[in-house]
Amino acid sequence: MRVAVIGIGSNSVRMLIADLENNVGYRVRRDRAGTRLFAGLDAQRRLSPQAMKTSADSVAAMAQSAAEAGAQEILLFATSATRDAANADVFASMIREGSGLELQIIAGETEAQLSFLGASGNGLCGVIDIGGGSTEIIVGEGMNLSSSFSCQMGAVRLSRMFPLCSVSEMDTVIEAASGILLKKLDTLPALAPVPAWYGTGGTFTTLAAMVNGVPWTDRTRMHGTTLLISQVEKEACLLAPMSPDERRSLPGLQPNRADIIVHGICILIACMRTLQIPAITVSEYGNLDGFLKHHYHLTDLR
């Protein structure tokens, strides 16, 4: 059976098509459209009509593509930006009219769990998922999670709060992210130490492409890249003084991330410093994979 799952994030709409056989999933294809939904969220927590239309159109196009590829079932969920929106019901109706799909808005805690399920390796480990509107941090082993939480800090969210165009301004963003994380940690039991950390999301794949010196389109060489905190800090200092146009000229940087990439890296630096993480491994997989595993009770996804 061929299925597809579409996820509406704060920065992009993504799709994963997979074939299911005997409780095992086989990845067939991934698609992505940069939509920047969170940027359309105003002070009254309402998504603008244009922001909703852009994402709804992307969902409809992906749903049609999945159907043409033979998907017998197409699932749809949304995360931080839609979760924050006061007019999420209008957005859901727009999607239903355009694609026929019913939208499931998942809670931050659920998003964290799905990210872990999709990105984690074998054994006890931690996962950090940096999105456009929020960041999820999870520690556990297999299906047993010892800690799972979502922080209201994402690359798009912080870019709106703290404009950044120099190395010195990075400290403000890092301090803000550290403060948000520490405040959250104060309400939770201490995180258990883990031998390995994994990172998922565009911030991580961009860093992997830049460290490996490959174009951002060469996704085969990003998964499994280990990033030392010194490398992360070095890339942030390299990118911070550049204009968005200068960043777009770099082969490892996805063009539509040019204005938010440094904010995403600052969030990562804050996490690595606060949680004392010396190195983190990049995972191509995330909440789409986790959603597929969870929904279909898969024992493996290859």
Side-chain angles (χ1 to χ4, degrees), residues 266-285:
C266 286
I267 293 171
L268 176 55
I269 292 171
C271 290
M272 294 182 80
R273 289 178 181 174
T274 302
L275 301 176
Q276 298 182 333
I277 302 171
I280 190 164
T281 301
V282 176
S283 175
E284 270 289 311
Y285 311 133

Side-chain angles (χ1 to χ4, degrees), residues 217-223 284:
T217 52
D218 185 5
R219 309 190 73 81
T220 59
R221 294 176 61 185
M222 299 179 196
H223 184 75
E284 270 289 311

Side-chain angles (χ1 to χ4, degrees), residues 130 135 151 153-155 158-159 161-164 166-183 229-230 232-238 240 260-275:
I130 299 174
T135 293
C151 294
M153 58 181 186
L158 292 193
S159 72
M161 297 169 64
F162 306 102
L164 189 162
S166 69
V167 173
S168 61
E169 290 172 325
M170 282 171 40
D171 289 339
T172 301
V173 183
I174 294 171
E175 288 174 10
S178 297
I180 293 169
L181 177 55
L182 286 168
K183 185 175 181 180
I229 189 168
S230 58
V232 175
E233 292 169 340
K234 178 182 176 182
E235 294 299 334
C237 290
L238 171 71
I260 62 168
I261 185 59
V262 182
H263 290 82
I265 298 175
C266 286
I267 293 171
L268 176 55
I269 292 171
C271 290
M272 294 182 80
R273 289 178 181 174
T274 302
L275 301 176

